[in-house]
Amino acid sequence: MKSWRAGWILLGLVYICAGAGIALSGEQAVAAGPKANNSITDYRLWHRNFDSPPIRALVSLAFEKTPEYGPFRIIRSPEMAQGRVVRELAQQQSSLIDIANVATSNEREEILRAIPIPIDGGLLGFRVCVVLRESLPKFEGIENLSDLRESGIRIGQGTHWPDTPILRVNGIPVVTHSRYEILFRMLENQRFECFARGVSEVLFDLQLEADSDFVIEPHLLIAYPMPSYFFVGRQDHETAQRLQLGMERAIHDGSFGQYLEHFYGSALEQLQLENRTILVLDNPFLTEESWNIGRRTLPNLKRRISILSSSDLES
C-alpha cells in the first residue's frame, strides 16, 4: 500500500467535516465567548474519552485554538457506563461530567447539545470484527448482508450504544452488556462471535487488551452512517461554543487534517480497507442533519479506495 493512501482518504473525510452543516459561524462563536481571563476552567471529560489519546488530544486542540476563552484543564470523569453518561449530561448541571464523545442518534440530539462535526471524520461508522482466532473460519464465504444474517454470527455491543438498534433493525443478532470491558470477556467466553469496533478505535482496543487470542477478522467491513460527536448539556452554551469554534479553526488551518493522519492514518493502512467486502447497513435513527453528514462518508471512502486501488494497478 502506498504511504500516502491513508492520508488521501483522511483528507476526504476532513472535507466532510468542513461541510458538516455547522450551526455557529466563527464570528458568532467569538462574539458569544467570554473575554480572556487568568482563571483556569476545568472540563470534566468522560473517563473512556480521557483514556483515549486521540479524543483527549482533539479536546485539547480545540481548546488551544480558542485562547479567548481562557486557560483550561481537562479532568478525567468518574468511571461510568455510556448510558449513565448520557443521563448525567441531560441534567441541568451535572457534578460529574461536562463533555463526552459518543455516537449520535436522534434521541441524543434531542436531550443533549451536539457539536455536529464528526470527531474522526466519520470513521466510527466503519466497523471491523474483533474475533477469537479459532472463530475465523466462521466468517469465510460471507459476501453480503444476507450471508451475514444466515451465518448465525452474533455481534457484541454495548447495551446503550446506538449501534445496537442499528444492527437489530438490519436483522443481525446482537448480544449486549452495559460495560465495555465485560464485552471482551463475553467474546472470550464465546457469548458472541464478533465484537464490532470502529476502524478508528480497534487497534487501540487490542493494544490495551494485549491478548493474542483476539484478532481482527481480515475480510469484512460493516458500514453505516453514524457520526461521532462531542456532546455537552443542553444549557452549556459556552463549552459547546468553545469546542465548535476550536474545531472549525482546526479544520480551516489544516491542523485537524494533521490530527486525523497522526492518529488514524496508520490504522487505515493496517486494516487494508481497500481489500475488504463492504456490508452496508441502514441507520434510521439519525436526525436529518446527521444523516446527511453520515451518508456522505461511505461514498467518499469508496471513491478514494477505488481511485487509490486503480493507481496501484497502474504503478
Side-chain angles (χ1 to χ4, degrees):
M1 182 180 294
K2 294 183 183 297
S3 61
W4 38 263
R5 176 187 301 279
W8 196 350
I9 292 173
L10 289 167
L11 178 61
L13 298 176
V14 172
Y15 288 126
I16 291 173
C17 295
I22 296 169
L24 292 174
S25 72
E27 290 75 19
Q28 288 173 315
V30 171
K35 294 181 180 179
N37 58 73
N38 294 322
S39 61
I40 297 176
T41 301
D42 289 338
Y43 296 93
R44 293 161 295 184
L45 180 64
W46 182 29
H47 82 277
R48 280 198 53 206
N49 297 156
F50 186 95
D51 293 345
S52 169
I55 299 175
R56 182 153 47 115
L58 185 55
V59 176
S60 293
L61 177 63
F63 287 168
E64 289 164 0
K65 297 290 181 182
T66 50
E68 63 269 38
Y69 283 77
F72 65 90
R73 181 167 50 207
I74 301 172
I75 295 175
R76 188 179 191 268
S77 82
E79 296 190 7
M80 60 185 104
Q82 189 171 138
R84 170 107 185 263
V85 168
V86 173
R87 293 194 298 272
E88 285 290 330
L89 286 175
Q91 296 181 18
Q92 286 285 342
Q93 187 175 4
S94 172
S95 61
L96 300 179
I97 190 167
D98 299 304
I99 304 168
N101 165 237
V102 292
T104 193
S105 68
N106 49 16
E107 179 184 6
R108 288 177 174 183
E109 291 186 37
E110 286 178 2
I111 63 175
L112 306 177
R113 181 173 295 278
I115 290 78
I117 303 173
I119 69 112
D120 57 4
L123 291 175
L124 189 64
F126 300 107
R127 300 255 158 175
V128 294
C129 285
V130 177
V131 306
L132 291 176
R133 190 180 300 276
E134 64 190 64
S135 299
L136 283 171
K138 297 179 181 180
F139 293 82
E140 294 176 358
I142 295 177
E143 299 294 337
N144 52 52
L145 189 53
S146 294
D147 290 341
L148 179 62
R149 291 173 180 142
E150 295 169 4
S151 69
I153 287 171
R154 300 162 295 177
I155 293 183
Q157 291 287 271
T159 304
H160 303 289
W161 298 358
D163 311 77
T164 297
I166 294 171
L167 292 165
R168 284 176 171 158
V169 81
N170 283 275
I172 300 171
V174 185
V175 178
T176 67
H177 197 281
S178 60
R179 290 183 57 193
Y180 157 82
E181 297 83 0
I182 298 299
L183 287 162
F184 276 103
R185 307 289 73 79
M186 293 172 70
L187 175 62
E188 190 174 38
N189 292 323
Q190 302 184 30
R191 295 283 301 280
F192 50 81
E193 291 72 38
C194 162
F195 188 6
R197 302 298 292 150
V199 301
S200 58
E201 61 190 359
V202 65
L203 296 181
F204 180 69
D205 290 347
L206 294 185
Q207 181 181 358
L208 290 180
E209 285 297 313
D211 188 333
S212 61
D213 287 336
F214 295 143
V215 297
I216 298 171
E217 193 282 327
H219 302 302
L220 300 178
L221 180 65
I222 302 171
Y224 40 87
M226 193 182 68
S228 175
Y229 298 152
F230 286 122
F231 284 89
V232 301
R234 286 204 67 82
Q235 306 304 315
D236 193 356
H237 302 289
E238 184 173 305
T239 303
Q241 290 168 347
R242 182 168 193 174
L243 282 169
Q244 186 157 322
L245 176 60
M247 292 180 71
E248 287 181 12
R249 288 175 174 171
I251 289 170
H252 290 303
D253 70 14
S255 53
F256 185 72
Q258 294 170 2
Y259 157 83
L260 288 177
E261 174 62 26
H262 175 73
F263 284 105
Y264 303 126
S266 176
L268 292 183
E269 289 195 8
Q270 291 185 50
L271 295 174
Q272 298 185 0
L273 301 188
E274 78 283 1
N275 294 327
R276 292 177 176 268
T277 298
I278 303 177
L279 308 181
V280 181
L281 278 59
D282 183 36
N283 179 2
F285 304 107
L286 293 176
T287 62
E288 183 177 358
E289 178 184 21
S290 289
W291 188 86
N292 286 330
I293 293 170
R295 74 180 177 85
R296 292 198 297 269
T297 311
L298 179 58
N300 179 284
L301 186 66
K302 280 184 173 179
R303 184 168 60 253
R304 278 161 178 76
I305 288 175
S306 176
I307 292 171
L308 293 169
S309 297
S310 299
S311 298
D312 283 350
L313 292 174
E314 294 170 0
S315 59

